[in-house]
């Protein structure tokens, strides 16, 4: 997926203005994956807080985004087979507020192939209610049930 972002900052000192904007947020980095059954068009989704989502989570200190993506997919879905990172499929950003503080979260996403047992166990302590396997056509038909930033990423990666 090729997405280019262009920003235009109009201010007496644009660099200073951009720094002030980004410094208003606490920053978080996460990584996750769009998991598909190897050589098939069946994809793994989770349901978190009543929305469809992809498994992801915080990158821990000393951990790469790739390592975090694999770890988080295993933890959040309970998969026990083999996950193989295929490619980076994009980066999304979103802003949220928690306990009166504003956060800017950078999410790095990877396409992954999976082989093994298709049984799943949702990580309920992370707000995950269910884990599903969907065929590509079903997945594309459910884009409106995802968080808005993920729809374009999913279409581009499928």
């Amino acid at each position: 997926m090729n997405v280019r972002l262009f920003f235009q900052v109009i201010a007496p000192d644009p660099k200073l203005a951009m720094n002030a904007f980004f410094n208003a947020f606490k920053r978080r980095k996460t990584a996750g994956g769009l998991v598909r059954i190897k050589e098939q068009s069946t994809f793994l989704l989770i349901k978190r807080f009543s929305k469809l989502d992809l498994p992801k989570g915080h990158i821990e200190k000393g951990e790469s985004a790739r390592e975090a993506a694999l770890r988080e997919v295993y933890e959040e879905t309970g998969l026990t087979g083999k996950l193989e990172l295929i490619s980076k499929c994009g980066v999304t950003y979103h802003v949220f507020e928690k306990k009166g503080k504003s956060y800017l979260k950078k999410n790095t996403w990877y396409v992954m192939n999976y082989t093994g047992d298709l049984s799943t166990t949702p990580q309920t302590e992370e707000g995950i209610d269910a884990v599903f396997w969907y065929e590509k056509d079903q997945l594309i038909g459910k884009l409106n049930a995802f968080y808005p930033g993920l729809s374009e990423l999913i279409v581009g990666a499928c």
Side-chain angles (χ1 to χ4, degrees):
M1 177 171 82
N2 270 336
V3 176
R4 294 181 186 247
L5 297 175
F6 295 96
F7 296 96
Q8 181 178 19
V9 179
I10 301 170
D13 186 339
K15 191 173 184 177
L16 183 65
M18 285 300 293
N19 285 337
F21 173 79
F22 284 110
N23 286 336
F25 297 97
K26 290 190 172 283
R27 296 187 198 156
R28 298 289 182 257
K29 291 182 180 180
T30 67
L34 178 60
V35 178
R36 65 180 180 213
I37 298 173
K38 188 173 185 173
E39 298 178 14
Q40 295 184 32
S41 58
T42 304
F43 294 87
L44 182 78
L45 307 177
I46 63 174
K47 185 176 181 185
R48 184 191 324 250
F49 306 122
S50 302
K51 288 283 216 182
L52 290 180
D53 202 353
L54 300 175
K56 70 165 178 329
H58 293 284
I59 299 171
E60 295 178 359
K61 188 174 183 162
E63 186 176 47
S64 72
R66 296 169 67 88
E67 292 166 334
L70 288 166
R71 178 183 51 76
E72 287 291 344
V73 169
Y74 280 119
E75 287 178 3
E76 292 193 345
T77 65
L79 290 175
T80 58
K82 181 183 177 194
L83 279 171
E84 176 188 10
L85 276 172
I86 302 303
S87 63
K88 183 175 174 181
C89 63
V91 175
T92 60
Y93 294 86
H94 72 273
V95 174
F96 67 97
E97 194 168 311
K98 186 176 182 180
K99 297 181 182 177
K101 295 182 180 172
S102 296
Y103 293 85
L104 175 64
K105 188 183 282 189
K106 175 185 179 183
N107 308 286
T108 303
W109 300 101
Y110 297 90
V111 174
M112 301 177 187
N113 276 341
Y114 178 74
T115 53
D117 184 358
L118 299 182
S119 301
T120 60
T121 305
Q123 189 180 23
T124 55
E125 61 271 18
E126 290 292 326
I128 301 168
D129 302 319
V131 181
F132 307 96
W133 289 103
Y134 277 109
E135 292 298 318
K136 180 179 178 179
D137 293 341
Q138 293 175 301
L139 174 65
I140 299 302
K142 296 196 172 289
L143 290 177
N144 62 342
F146 281 90
Y147 289 99
L150 288 179
S151 297
E152 187 175 330
L153 178 100
I154 290 167
V155 169
C158 286

